[in-house]
Amino acid sequence: MEIVLSKILSEIRHQEDKLSSQMMQTADEAYQMTLFLKEMLCTIKTNVLQDGFKDEHREIDFFKNIKPQILGKLIYYNKVFRIETTCPVSNGKIHQSYYENQLKALKSEYKESICNEDFYRYYRADRTDRDHIYFRLGQINYHDGLKSGVFEIDLSFSTYFDNKIAHIIANELLYTYMLTKINPEKNPDTILMNGDTHKDISWTNSQNALIELIYALYASKSIAYGKIGIRKLALIFQILFRTPLNDIHHSFHRMKTRAGSRTAFLDQLKISLEEYMDKDL
């Protein structure tokens, strides 16, 4: 069984674009995406239980990279649906206060359930030395004092830690969503032109490549004379290309110390442009 992450992400983006083009209310769009992602996950689960994995590498890749992307967005859209359908009013101070309280609750959950755990630091450090423990079925060590949620998951389709990554992804998406609700005047959607013109635009290189480009534009003050902060600039690119960027600050600091060229993507851009120029000579 071969499950390819790029294909999964492409299918999700296609469904997001399809629903977005129908100009639905946020709650309706979130509900439809929840149904879509739930069905996708159920189909993949059936295939996994039936066919298993060819080798350890594919099993680790699935539970570390593929399933969390689907489950993370499923958690995100379900949460957005719940938030939108319980919002008391559509504008005003109560509306503002509602989303501010939601953001506080999200930050509290992040501090209590995510950032203080050893696994979170392992994941953020891009370590792989314990992948064979964290992302293979049947490797849960109850002596680690895991939270009770471990008893609520289907251990035939979860290593427990894939769920943790999914919640990290969902948390980051929800954080961005909350900020745009609290500060609609700073919402990058209003900075961009009509969204319909961007339906077919997607980033097809790596996340690190996009982060490298964003920091280059920020450092060179090429956009708004450098008056736009790095977080807001990253948010604009995330919405423009409809792709989440995980912890850009951490990724940037890893770039500063990586072997070889620290600006690999920018170097390749220069080479590609020069080759393109030479075609006209």
Side-chain angles (χ1 to χ4, degrees):
M1 177 193 61
E2 190 72 23
I3 303 174
V4 182
L5 178 59
S6 60
K7 182 179 179 181
I8 293 293
L9 295 178
S10 177
E11 290 179 8
I12 294 174
R13 280 195 296 267
H14 175 74
Q15 183 67 9
E16 288 173 332
D17 291 343
K18 178 182 176 182
L19 295 176
S20 180
S21 67
Q22 297 176 18
M23 304 299 290
M24 292 181 172
Q25 294 290 327
T26 301
D28 294 331
E29 186 173 336
Y31 176 72
Q32 291 299 323
M33 281 303 303
T34 299
L35 296 180
F36 172 80
L37 291 164
K38 181 177 180 295
E39 180 64 26
M40 173 184 279
L41 199 58
C42 286
T43 300
I44 292 176
K45 177 180 179 180
T46 299
N47 293 334
V48 167
L49 295 181
Q50 178 179 321
D51 302 331
F53 300 97
K54 290 183 178 179
D55 52 45
E56 178 179 329
H57 172 75
R58 285 181 172 83
E59 181 179 1
I60 290 173
D61 180 56
F62 176 77
F63 287 112
K64 185 176 184 179
N65 300 311
I66 298 175
K67 184 188 171 188
Q69 288 291 336
I70 306 170
L71 182 57
K73 282 218 164 185
L74 175 57
I75 294 170
Y76 163 70
Y77 278 113
N78 183 59
K79 182 67 174 179
V80 169
F81 174 75
R82 292 172 57 193
I83 290 171
E84 290 295 325
T85 53
T86 54
C87 185
V89 291
S90 59
N91 53 51
K93 291 184 178 180
I94 295 178
H95 178 269
Q96 179 81 3
S97 177
Y98 173 78
Y99 285 102
E100 288 176 350
N101 288 334
Q102 290 289 336
L103 181 59
K104 288 179 182 178
L106 183 68
K107 289 180 177 179
S108 177
E109 178 186 350
Y110 169 77
K111 291 179 180 178
E112 294 176 6
S113 305
I114 297 179
C115 71
N116 290 326
E117 296 192 355
D118 290 338
F119 175 75
Y120 180 77
R121 290 185 284 274
Y122 174 90
Y123 174 68
R124 283 300 184 213
D126 277 341
R127 288 169 54 187
T128 59
D129 52 290
R130 294 180 64 83
D131 280 3
H132 63 289
I133 297 174
Y134 288 140
F135 304 112
R136 296 201 68 201
L137 294 172
Q139 300 297 316
I140 294 177
N141 184 357
Y142 295 100
H143 283 102
D144 289 340
L146 304 176
K147 294 185 177 180
S148 298
V150 70
F151 302 112
E152 301 173 2
I153 60 176
D154 182 354
L155 295 181
S156 67
F157 188 60
S158 177
T159 69
Y160 176 65
F161 294 97
D162 57 305
N163 280 33
K164 284 190 169 293
I165 294 180
H167 278 88
I168 292 172
I169 292 171
N171 186 282
E172 292 172 346
L173 291 171
L174 284 166
Y175 181 74
T176 299
Y177 164 75
M178 294 295 183
L179 290 181
T180 61
K181 299 297 287 190
I182 293 171
N183 298 303
E185 72 281 358
K186 296 181 180 179
N187 185 345
D189 275 329
T190 64
I191 297 174
L192 300 174
M193 296 172 60
N194 187 335
D196 289 338
T197 63
H198 303 288
K199 297 300 181 184
D200 297 326
I201 298 177
S202 63
W203 182 258
T204 54
N205 211 306
S206 68
Q207 277 196 4
N208 280 342
L210 182 55
I211 292 171
E212 188 176 320
L213 176 61
I214 291 170
Y215 266 94
L217 293 171
Y218 174 73
S220 63
K221 299 182 180 180
S222 298
I223 298 179
Y225 302 100
K227 295 179 181 179
I228 295 180
I230 187 64
R231 183 181 293 278
K232 184 175 180 180
L233 190 59
L235 201 55
I236 292 172
F237 277 81
Q238 288 182 74
I239 291 177
L240 173 62
F241 294 121
R242 305 181 69 83
T243 183
L245 294 175
N246 301 325
D247 199 339
I248 63 169
H249 298 292
H250 183 71
S251 297
F252 175 68
H253 285 294
R254 287 204 308 272
M255 291 177 191
K256 291 166 64 176
T257 57
R258 65 187 176 189
S261 174
R262 296 191 297 177
T263 56
F265 178 62
L266 297 180
D267 295 343
Q268 184 57 51
L269 282 182
K270 180 176 180 293
I271 293 171
S272 298
L273 178 57
E274 289 178 340
E275 290 177 349
Y276 185 78
M277 289 175 171
D278 291 339
K279 290 181 180 179
D280 296 331
L281 295 179

